Amino acid sequence: MKNKFLILNIILSLLIIVGDVCYIEIGQLWIKGVTSAGFVLLGAVNLTYLILLKSDKIKFAIIMLIGLVFAMLGDIVLNIHFISGAILFAIGHVFYFLAYCNLFAFKWIDLIYGAIIFIPSVLFITLAPIFDFGGVLMEIVCVVYAIIISCMVGKSISNVVKERNPLTIILLVGSIMFFFSDLMLLLNVFGDLGKITDILCLATYYPAQILLAFSLLNYWNKNNNDLAKKEQLQ
């Protein structure tokens, strides 16, 4: 059964990449919306896989799916009202952080990893002369958002340090790509560095979401062998 879901993952991932390319070239909001809905569908498909296996370890997957939904909403709303979109994205990052904490319980050292990222990020946002936020409110929004996403990425790093396995590595790569994508968005919107930052933002954003959604299929836990046995009985 896993092979069938793996094939479905590949098909959906390719469709999302096609949508990504189309949005880069055409730029219609409806294309962005459909493409973003694709990674939510991908997460839902993989959650279904866990449900079919009758796994009692699906809390991580449910929280991740909620995060994907908020990312989709933020992705769409961002083009209509930037601050509202940023808030939705931030909520999505909070859910990703909670999902990562479901894998490994929160420890204060997790914040240290986050601080290593958000301290230079905040300094960059507030001190770099290339940014024009058009007001204090927008700058505060970007700073708060940077802290939230940095804590999410920091937790993914901490999880890899605690236990390196396919799931934690996928989440780490996806989280870092998400962070890079948002950095390119920041440079594109408030730094006015040209088309290249917009392309880099979109070229890394959707692959990041694909990895985060794909992580549900690679759900790693100490009872992984039990899940494999259940699958063989299907």
Side-chain angles (χ1 to χ4, degrees), residues 162-180:
K162 291 175 183 175
E163 184 174 324
R164 185 176 303 178
N165 58 56
L167 176 58
T168 57
I169 293 174
I170 288 172
L171 292 175
L172 173 62
V173 175
S175 298
I176 292 175
M177 290 180 68
F178 204 156
F179 181 88
F180 178 81

Side-chain angles (χ1 to χ4, degrees), residues 122-197:
V122 170
L123 291 175
F124 180 60
I125 291 172
T126 56
L127 300 179
I130 62 173
F131 293 121
D132 179 11
F133 294 101
V136 176
L137 176 61
M138 187 64 74
E139 185 172 359
I140 292 174
V141 168
C142 292
V143 166
V144 173
Y145 182 86
I147 293 173
I148 293 173
I149 189 174
S150 296
C151 288
M152 183 271 288
V153 177
K155 179 58 177 170
S156 71
I157 296 172
S158 178
N159 284 357
V160 169
V161 172
K162 291 175 183 175
E163 184 174 324
R164 185 176 303 178
N165 58 56
L167 176 58
T168 57
I169 293 174
I170 288 172
L171 292 175
L172 173 62
V173 175
S175 298
I176 292 175
M177 290 180 68
F178 204 156
F179 181 88
F180 178 81
S181 172
D182 280 348
L183 174 61
M184 292 300 102
L185 176 65
L186 189 73
L187 292 171
N188 180 59
V189 175
F190 302 108
D192 194 23
L193 297 183
K195 180 71 174 178
I196 185 63
T197 52

